[in-house]
């Protein structure tokens, strides 16, 4: 059992590190939006396209990632993904024109798109079912701490003219991670001749998915309990990632006259709020044996947090920082959606079920980032954006956030156990 304990944390650490790099790339354009527009002479819509390219390929790869996680296993996926992401990050950092930067961003999105689903697959294989939400919360905590690198630190690096070096360095780290993953990561205890979690807990063994992955995917897609989580991700994660990953810092600079460093601190507070509460929400849900009450209560607060930005009035810095922190804290409701996805589908299909739901979280920003940029360009006609220009884009984000929260009332309560066999 001691060996299982050591190896499970090795698997978790390597997987979490891959996801830390994914979070860095996900949110980085917001901190260097000005540098990107200057370096590649882009409009707001083109900047939105550059940022959203990551989400286009990430969205497209979620279901394939789930299939590959259930068939090939996380080890092979992590290794290949880290190599591709490393190459893309280096290319992005060295890009001389918009086309090369776009392709580099595409490769980064392709490489990191396999990370999250693979970590969830590892958690399902190496940890008890009753600890799944706790481990997911811990993962979100660690990764959002890493995501802080894409806010104030990256803004500071950009202010000193070295943003390109940061992406080259991130690419080198990805390649190193690929080597460590291949050497030390294993998909499950059975690969090392150890008993599985089901065997240790005296539960039935779930066979791995092999040639029947099409049937498995069809089972997940045909399950009506799968889709409310997808819509929650589409609305809540879509609005959050679009805001924190690109448009929050420009909004604070143009509407509230903030310096970039102070605006970046607001995004950092939002990430801190999410990281801290993700850890608590997952553990609390596992402890009380309920999923949906926390999702609904926190989701309501998240929606309300958008109203002050739609209003646009000046707020004391302490209040605006607190509002960003509350936005991130309430968004932690999303932490439980992957647990619900796994618990309403066959246990052997955990990769596919979580990937289908996760697709919504990346379709959202893929649509919203360029859409908000287009709204800004059309309303301002190329001039500096004022509050009126921003309100149209923020109204779209608010509508998506509201949609995501309303969908939580359609998510089935699982009581922290698999209910696939139970009638709807």
């Amino acid at each position: 059992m001691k060996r299982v304990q050591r190896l499970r944390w090795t698997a978790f650490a390597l997987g979490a590190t891959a996801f830390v790099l994914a979070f860095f790339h996900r949110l980085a354009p917001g901190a260097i939006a000005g540098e990107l527009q200057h370096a590649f002479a882009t409009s707001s819509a083109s900047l939105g396209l550059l940022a959203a390219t990551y989400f286009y390929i990430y969205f497209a790869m979620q279901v394939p990632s789930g299939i590959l996680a259930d068939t090939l296993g996380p080890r092979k996926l992590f290794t290949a993904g880290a190599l591709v992401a490393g190459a893309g990050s280096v290319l992005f950092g060295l890009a001389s024109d918009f086309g090369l930067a776009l392709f580099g961003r595409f490769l980064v999105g392709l490489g990191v798109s396999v990370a999250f689903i693979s970590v969830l697959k590892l958690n399902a294989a190496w940890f008890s079912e009753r600890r799944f939400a706790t481990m997911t919360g811990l993962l979100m905590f660690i990764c959002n701490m890493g995501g802080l690198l894409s806010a104030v630190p990256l803004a500071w690096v950009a202010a000193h003219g070295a943003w390109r070096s940061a992406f080259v360095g991130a690419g080198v780290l990805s390649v190193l991670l690929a080597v460590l993953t291949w050497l030390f990561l294993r998909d499950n205890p059975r690969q090392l001749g150890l008993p599985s979690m089901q065997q240790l807990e005296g539960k039935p063994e779930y066979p791995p998915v092999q040639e029947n992955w099409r049937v498995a995917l069809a089972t997940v897609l045909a399950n009506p309990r799968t889709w409310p989580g997808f819509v929650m991700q589409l609305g809540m994660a879509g609005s959050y990632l679009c805001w924190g990953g690109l448009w929050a810092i420009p909004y604070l600079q143009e509407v509230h006259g903030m310096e970039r460093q102070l605006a970046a601190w607001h995004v950092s507070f939002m990430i801190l709020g999410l990281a801290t509460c993700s850890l608590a929400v997952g553990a609390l849900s596992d402890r009380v044996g309920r999923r949906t009450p926390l999702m609904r209560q926190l989701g309501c607060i998240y929606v309300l947090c958008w109203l002050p930005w739609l209003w646009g009035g000046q707020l004391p810095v302490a209040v605006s920082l607190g509002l960003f922190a509350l936005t991130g804290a309430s968004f932690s409701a999303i932490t439980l959606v992957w647990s619900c996805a796994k618990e309403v589908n066959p246990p052997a299909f955990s990769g596919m079920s979580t990937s289908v739901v996760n697709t919504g979280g990346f379709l959202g920003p893929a649509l919203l980032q360029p859409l908000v940029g287009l709204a800004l360009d059309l309303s301002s006609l190329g001039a500096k954006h004022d509050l009126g220009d921003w309100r149209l884009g923020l109204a779209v984000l608010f509508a998506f956030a509201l949609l995501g929260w309303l969908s939580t009332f359609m998510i089935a309560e699982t009581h922290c156990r698999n209910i696939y066999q139970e009638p709807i």
Side-chain angles (χ1 to χ4, degrees), residues 85-410:
S89 186
V90 171
L91 178 60
F92 185 82
L94 300 178
S96 58
D97 57 53
F98 184 77
L100 284 176
L102 201 66
F103 185 58
R105 183 80 172 156
F106 171 87
L107 289 178
V108 168
L110 177 62
V112 303
S113 65
V114 303
F116 185 61
I117 299 304
S118 295
V119 180
L120 295 184
K121 184 71 177 179
L122 287 172
N123 285 352
W126 283 97
F127 293 91
S128 166
E129 185 175 62
R130 282 303 300 263
R131 295 184 66 192
F132 187 83
T134 300
M135 297 311 301
T136 302
L138 178 60
L139 174 66
M140 295 299 292
F141 172 78
I142 294 171
C143 295
N144 278 283
M145 288 292 100
L148 288 174
L149 296 172
S150 62
V152 174
L154 183 58
W156 182 87
V157 169
H160 290 78
W163 68 269
R164 292 181 179 272
S165 298
F167 285 93
V168 173
V172 173
L173 286 176
S174 290
V175 174
L176 176 61
L177 178 64
V179 174
L180 294 175
T181 297
W182 187 256
L183 292 176
F184 298 110
L185 181 65
R186 295 297 180 269
D187 295 337
N188 54 63
R190 293 188 304 275
Q191 290 185 346
L192 297 168
L194 299 170
S196 68
M197 289 298 104
Q198 288 77 26
Q199 290 172 324
L200 288 174
E201 296 176 356
K203 296 180 179 179
E205 188 75 22
Y206 302 123
V209 179
Q210 296 176 348
E211 290 78 16
N212 63 339
W213 67 263
R214 292 178 182 83
V215 175
L217 178 59
T219 300
V220 172
L221 294 176
N223 184 356
R225 287 170 165 167
T226 299
W227 294 103
F230 171 91
V231 178
M232 181 184 179
Q233 284 270 40
L234 177 72
M236 290 184 61
S239 56
Y240 176 88
L241 291 173
C242 180
W243 182 239
L246 184 59
W247 295 118
I249 291 177
Y251 168 86
L252 293 172
Q253 289 179 293
E254 294 184 350
V255 175
H256 296 279
M258 293 186 187
E259 296 294 329
R260 180 169 56 183
Q261 284 293 111
L262 178 57
W265 272 110
H266 282 71
V267 175
S268 294
F269 268 61
M270 188 166 68
I271 296 172
L272 280 169
L274 171 59
T276 304
C277 285
S278 291
L279 184 61
V281 165
L284 180 59
S285 174
D286 280 343
R287 183 167 183 174
V288 302
R290 297 286 300 278
R291 302 294 193 212
T292 55
L294 280 170
M295 297 171 76
R296 293 164 185 169
Q297 293 161 12
L298 289 170
C300 180
I301 297 172
Y302 175 73
V303 171
L304 294 176
C305 284
W306 286 92
L307 297 179
W309 307 123
L310 274 168
W311 167 56
Q314 291 293 327
L315 298 173
V317 171
V319 174
S320 61
L321 285 170
L323 183 58
F324 265 76
L326 183 61
T327 301
S330 56
F331 177 68
S332 65
I334 211 76
T335 304
L336 301 176
V337 74
W338 300 292
S339 299
C340 291
K342 183 180 74 74
E343 290 161 357
V344 299
N345 283 289
F349 306 161
S350 63
M352 294 184 208
S353 58
T354 52
S355 69
V356 168
V357 168
N358 210 41
T359 299
F362 295 94
L363 176 60
L367 296 173
L368 289 171
Q369 284 186 332
L371 183 61
V372 172
L374 181 61
L376 290 172
D377 284 342
L378 290 176
S379 60
S380 66
L381 299 177
K384 183 178 179 181
H385 310 129
D386 60 21
L387 177 59
D389 300 325
W390 278 101
R391 274 182 174 151
L392 178 60
L394 286 171
V396 174
L397 295 179
F398 173 78
F400 268 69
L402 181 62
L403 173 67
W405 172 58
L406 292 176
S407 71
T408 64
F409 292 91
M410 302 296 293

